[in-house]
Amino acid sequence: MKLLPPLPLFDSREFISEQSFPDRAKLSFMQTDFNHSKAFLKSYDGSVATFNAYRREVERLLHWSWLIAKKSIKDLIRTDIEAYLAFCQNPPITWIGVKKVPRFIEKAGSRVANENWRPFVATLPKAVLRQGKRVDPKQYELSLTALREIFAILSSLYNFLIQEEYSPINPILHIRQKSKYLRKRQGKPKIRRLTELQWDYVIETAKQLAEQDPAQHERTLFMMTAFYAMYLRISELAATVRWTPKMSDFHRDHDGCWWFTTVGKGNKERQIAVSDAMLTALQRYRKHLGLSALPTTADKHALIPKIKGKGPVTNTSHIRTIVQFCFDQTITKLREDGHIDEAGSLNEATVHWLRHTGISEDVKHRPREHVRDDAGHSSSAITDKYIDIELRARHASAKKKNISNLTSPDD
């Protein structure tokens, strides 16, 4: 007998406050589980990305606990969590979707659960999808990063439930052999970024697009520059309920130095040092928009305005589409110029690679503490991941190692 897919429980952060316990829930403890989980999620509504990640993991656990274990989440113990982890690694096909869809949709003036939503989503790399291959739910695989998120988020949930005197224990902490789920990495993780040639082609393509169609692509050029030069995350350019990037977020201090203020991960405000090249890009962009060369503290114009309609861009998917168009045009140019391998690897690139690329280039020349603070890293150890000088030296020392004393690498 197939296990029917569950319906979503929690709406987006804009609507969760008004959301009530779904009538479809049957067991007596479900409403209390729901209410405590909702309170937990509301404490993370300052960031869209954080809220969405926490909602995903809490919702999955509730569905498994209610429908599979037939228990309240407050009664789960270590063995239950281990069973849940095994379930997440191999969920039933009926619980796996092949694309992300909204949890709730508007219908007759009300928010209703979307029957096409699934707790798990199978994906393929962009490069594979471009080859015409379709996503198969049978090929779903839980990544190591996703497993780490499960441990971290559910541990936070249970710490909250303990503080609320709802759960007596944190069963996540009772899993002694986390090593069988989470592998440790030796050395630095690989940073996903563009090569120098790829970035040169990307920014040159953005300039050409802006010259050919200024109305559409002067904004594209500015965004590509900002992602790279100021290490911005995509959420730091899109307007949200907590922060709307404005022109006045560029400001000059009493020493004549320009800074950009943003609110990033963890709802933390930071100031980013603005380079001369970034300031020149801002001046070009403002000239296109019909504004003065540089902003004043009273300039409340949206930093990334909509081209059609009024107000700032609020949808990160729209920004991803703009960046992807620039990537696609760049891939074509790379192929035309014979850089086949570079074009192929650019197929895998995402918006976040631009931030990684900017950090990786700057850390070669700037003090790491300066890069750390501009990037909003919580510690220098995170910034150190972008320093690959040691890796280059390590490879150079290994490059001409002999396999046999009878031969040399030049034979």
Side-chain angles (χ1 to χ4, degrees):
M1 181 179 175
K2 284 187 176 181
L3 186 63
L4 295 176
L7 292 172
L9 296 171
F10 300 106
D11 207 338
S12 59
R13 65 191 186 122
E14 293 89 348
F15 299 100
I16 193 172
S17 294
E18 294 77 31
Q19 193 173 4
S20 58
F21 181 60
D23 295 334
R24 60 182 183 274
K26 303 296 182 184
L27 301 177
S28 58
F29 54 75
M30 288 182 174
Q31 182 162 1
T32 315
D33 278 1
F34 177 88
N35 291 340
H36 279 90
S37 298
K38 176 181 172 181
F40 171 72
L41 292 175
K42 286 179 66 178
S43 66
Y44 289 93
D45 66 357
S47 165
V48 176
T50 302
F51 175 84
N52 289 345
Y54 277 58
R55 177 182 58 176
R56 179 189 65 234
E57 300 306 335
V58 171
E59 202 166 40
R60 285 177 179 173
L61 180 67
L62 287 173
H63 281 137
W64 180 86
S65 187
W66 295 352
L67 303 176
I68 308 298
K70 308 292 185 184
K71 286 184 175 183
S72 165
I73 55 172
K74 69 181 177 63
D75 296 324
L76 298 181
I77 59 176
R78 174 183 59 81
T79 52
D80 292 318
I81 297 299
E82 289 178 341
Y84 172 67
L85 291 170
F87 177 87
C88 288
Q89 291 173 312
N90 187 28
I93 292 294
T94 53
W95 285 39
I96 304 173
V98 295
K99 64 178 180 179
K100 292 182 180 180
V101 299
R103 280 172 165 75
F104 287 78
I105 55 178
E106 293 282 346
K107 193 173 183 179
S110 300
R111 301 284 293 177
V112 297
N114 186 352
E115 295 182 354
N116 295 319
W117 174 85
R118 297 292 182 269
F120 301 88
V121 179
T123 59
L124 284 174
K126 286 195 302 180
V128 176
L129 290 173
R130 286 171 179 272
Q131 296 171 5
K133 294 187 179 181
R134 293 186 176 183
V135 180
D136 184 352
K138 293 180 181 178
Q139 295 177 335
Y140 173 81
E141 184 177 355
L142 193 69
S143 68
L144 182 61
T145 300
L147 270 171
R148 291 185 188 278
E149 284 195 339
I150 290 175
F151 275 98
I153 294 172
L154 294 190
S155 187
S156 295
L157 168 66
Y158 274 99
N159 286 339
F160 175 86
L161 296 179
I162 290 172
Q163 291 173 0
E164 294 292 304
E165 298 183 349
Y166 186 60
S167 176
I169 63 167
N170 183 341
I172 309 298
L173 299 180
H174 292 184
I175 300 178
R176 295 188 180 90
Q177 293 184 327
K178 290 189 177 71
S179 58
K180 70 179 181 181
Y181 301 104
L182 304 177
R183 297 190 305 274
K184 292 184 178 179
R185 178 188 292 272
Q186 180 180 347
K188 297 177 183 178
K190 181 180 179 181
I191 301 298
R192 308 287 278 174
R193 60 194 177 203
L194 305 184
T195 65
E196 292 180 14
L197 179 66
Q198 286 172 333
W199 169 247
D200 287 343
Y201 266 74
V202 165
I203 196 62
E204 187 60 31
T205 298
K207 289 176 181 177
Q208 291 175 6
L209 288 171
E211 289 167 3
Q212 294 165 5
D213 187 355
Q216 190 72 29
H217 291 298
E218 281 292 342
R219 185 181 64 173
T220 301
L221 175 60
F222 177 77
M223 288 195 300
M224 302 300 281
T225 306
F227 281 130
Y228 175 88
M230 298 195 295
Y231 327 142
L232 296 184
R233 301 178 179 91
I234 191 170
S235 59
E236 293 167 353
L237 274 188
T240 65
V241 292
R242 62 174 178 149
W243 186 257
T244 298
K246 302 178 294 295
M247 284 293 179
S248 57
D249 293 328
F250 283 96
H251 53 92
R252 182 167 47 191
D253 66 16
H254 61 277
D255 292 321
C257 301
W258 280 87
W259 300 86
F260 179 71
T261 299
T262 188
V263 174
K265 206 172 181 179
N267 208 27
K268 295 178 181 177
E269 182 177 304
R270 74 180 189 279
Q271 286 191 325
I272 302 170
V274 177
S275 66
D276 291 344
M278 185 66 234
L279 200 61
T280 299
L282 174 65
Q283 290 173 311
R284 170 175 174 161
Y285 181 49
R286 286 178 59 83
K287 181 180 180 181
H288 162 71
L289 294 174
L291 303 174
S292 59
L294 291 169
T296 66
T297 55
D299 192 334
K300 303 305 179 185
H301 288 95
L303 188 63
I304 308 296
K306 296 176 181 176
I307 290 178
K308 295 181 179 179
K310 296 182 179 180
V313 171
T314 58
N315 192 335
T316 55
S317 295
H318 182 53
I319 295 178
R320 285 192 179 90
T321 300
I322 293 170
V323 172
Q324 188 59 56
F325 179 80
C326 186
F327 282 165
D328 290 343
Q329 297 300 304
T330 305
I331 289 168
T332 300
K333 293 181 184 298
L334 283 166
R335 284 178 178 154
E336 289 174 349
D337 291 350
H339 303 295
I340 306 303
D341 289 342
E342 300 278 0
S345 60
L346 188 57
N347 263 317
E348 303 173 12
T350 67
V351 179
H352 207 59
W353 285 32
L354 298 173
R355 168 179 161 86
H356 288 173
T357 305
I359 294 172
S360 299
E361 287 303 309
D362 276 9
V363 84
K364 297 175 185 176
H365 316 291
R366 299 180 65 198
R368 68 172 184 172
E369 293 80 8
H370 296 177
V371 176
R372 175 199 65 198
D373 293 344
D374 281 349
H377 289 157
S378 57
S379 72
S380 295
I382 297 174
T383 312
D384 286 346
K385 296 176 183 177
Y386 293 84
I387 302 175
D388 54 12
I389 296 173
E390 292 178 3
L391 286 177
R392 291 175 181 174
R394 181 169 139 201
H395 189 274
S397 71
K399 189 173 179 63
K400 295 191 176 183
K401 289 193 301 182
N402 289 339
I403 301 300
S404 166
N405 290 329
L406 299 177
T407 59
S408 69
D410 296 327
D411 288 346

